[in-house]
Amino acid sequence: MKPFLILQLRPEPEASDNEYEAIMDKGRLRPDQTHRICLDKEQVPDGLRLDDYSGVIVGGGPGCVSDDPAKKSALDKRIEDAVLGMMPEIVERDFPFMGCCYGIGILAHYLGAPVNKSRYFERVGVSLCLKTADGRDDPMLAGTPDEFQALVGHKEAVQELPPGCTHLLASDPCPYQMLRYGENVYATQFHPEADAGVFETRIRVYAGYNYFPPEETDRIREIVLGADIRWPELILKNFVDRYARD
């Protein structure tokens, strides 16, 4: 099988390693079936060919595409530019892509839709996602119920449906929870790779990143640990099953 290219944007080693393990676990992938690039440490190799991969999976991260470019760190700019630099070919070819969390901002921003903090941001915790009519027929959501809980935590969100995109999942706090561009380019606002244990690690790692007041840490942890988060992981499994190729 051709490997899946996994692009990671988290500069925090514990969170990055935990996310990579979660993507492999939920996607039922082995390390030899992936090519992991940690963009905080590595460049996308010159000459990288999408044809050498089954698909591309982009993880989350603390950066925001809507932040003032003049205030972004050099590292944040380099990470963002690396992912955005791959989007023209991915979108033009309709190449299999799954953008998790930060990935939906990257996709929408590239397509020209507004991504910002004016509305629809989500506090760290649990959100109830509801399928649209198109979502009920989409293969990435096969096996999931019409509504299910997912783990979220975002400072920005997609404000309008990007051109060429199909709306698959919605929620009250954030209407654009999952999108598809063309037939094979997907992105989620929530974290399909995360279960309660994964999110508990992130709550600890990102406690000082202004996602939530420190005094709310224990309450948020209790909410996450008590949630039913069995369905989002099927999205990653469906993605791998559909696009794995020799």
Side-chain angles (χ1 to χ4, degrees):
M1 185 188 87
K2 290 185 177 180
F4 283 84
L5 177 62
I6 299 178
L7 302 177
Q8 291 193 266
L9 292 63
R10 300 181 187 276
E12 304 78 20
E14 182 179 5
S16 179
D17 290 346
N18 185 257
E19 178 184 67
Y20 175 61
E21 292 167 3
I23 289 172
M24 286 195 298
D25 178 44
K26 306 309 188 299
R28 313 297 195 269
L29 290 165
R30 303 188 308 268
D32 64 300
Q33 295 173 323
T34 71
H35 176 193
R36 179 190 187 189
I37 299 179
C38 296
L39 291 172
D40 60 307
K41 304 181 185 71
E42 309 170 60
Q43 302 280 353
V44 175
D46 291 338
L48 182 141
R49 299 174 64 253
L50 291 181
D51 287 334
D52 292 333
Y53 300 97
S54 289
V56 179
I57 299 172
V58 173
C64 293
V65 296
S66 64
D67 283 346
D68 183 348
K71 297 181 180 179
K72 289 182 182 179
S73 69
L75 178 59
D76 284 343
K77 288 179 183 177
R78 182 164 64 79
I79 289 172
E80 184 177 304
D81 289 346
V83 184
L84 280 172
M86 297 189 67
M87 296 312 297
E89 184 178 2
I90 288 170
V91 167
E92 181 179 349
R93 294 182 54 182
D94 197 13
F95 191 81
F97 174 89
M98 178 62 71
C100 309
C101 178
Y102 194 105
I104 198 170
I106 288 287
L107 176 63
H109 177 74
Y110 174 73
L111 294 173
V115 181
N116 56 54
K117 304 167 187 175
S118 63
R119 298 177 295 169
Y120 308 143
F121 68 91
E122 293 178 302
R123 300 186 183 280
V124 175
V126 179
S127 190
L128 182 65
C129 297
L130 298 91
K131 288 182 183 177
T132 65
D134 288 314
R136 294 189 189 101
D137 295 328
D138 193 272
M140 290 308 104
L141 291 167
T144 64
D146 284 351
E147 56 181 59
F148 57 85
Q149 293 181 316
L151 295 169
V152 298
H154 310 274
K155 298 176 183 177
E156 64 180 5
V158 179
Q159 305 295 314
E160 298 174 9
L161 186 66
C165 282
T166 301
H167 188 196
L168 303 178
L169 284 174
S171 71
D172 286 339
C174 178
Y176 303 110
Q177 283 287 350
M178 185 172 179
L179 309 174
R180 185 188 75 237
Y181 178 86
E183 296 299 323
N184 304 305
V185 177
Y186 290 87
T188 66
Q189 174 87 349
F190 59 92
H191 293 272
E193 84 290 349
D195 54 29
V198 170
F199 230 57
E200 189 176 26
T201 296
R202 291 184 195 167
I203 289 169
R204 175 169 48 77
V205 171
Y206 293 110
Y209 284 63
N210 297 317
Y211 282 100
F212 53 85
E215 62 270 19
E216 293 187 10
T217 301
D218 290 340
R219 181 186 66 83
I220 293 171
R221 183 181 291 113
E222 288 178 6
I223 291 172
V224 167
L225 292 175
D228 179 5
I229 311 294
R230 70 180 113 165
W231 302 111
E233 64 184 65
L234 280 179
I235 295 169
L236 276 178
K237 182 178 183 299
N238 288 339
F239 182 78
V240 170
D241 289 348
R242 183 175 179 84
Y243 295 114
R245 59 195 180 98
D246 295 329

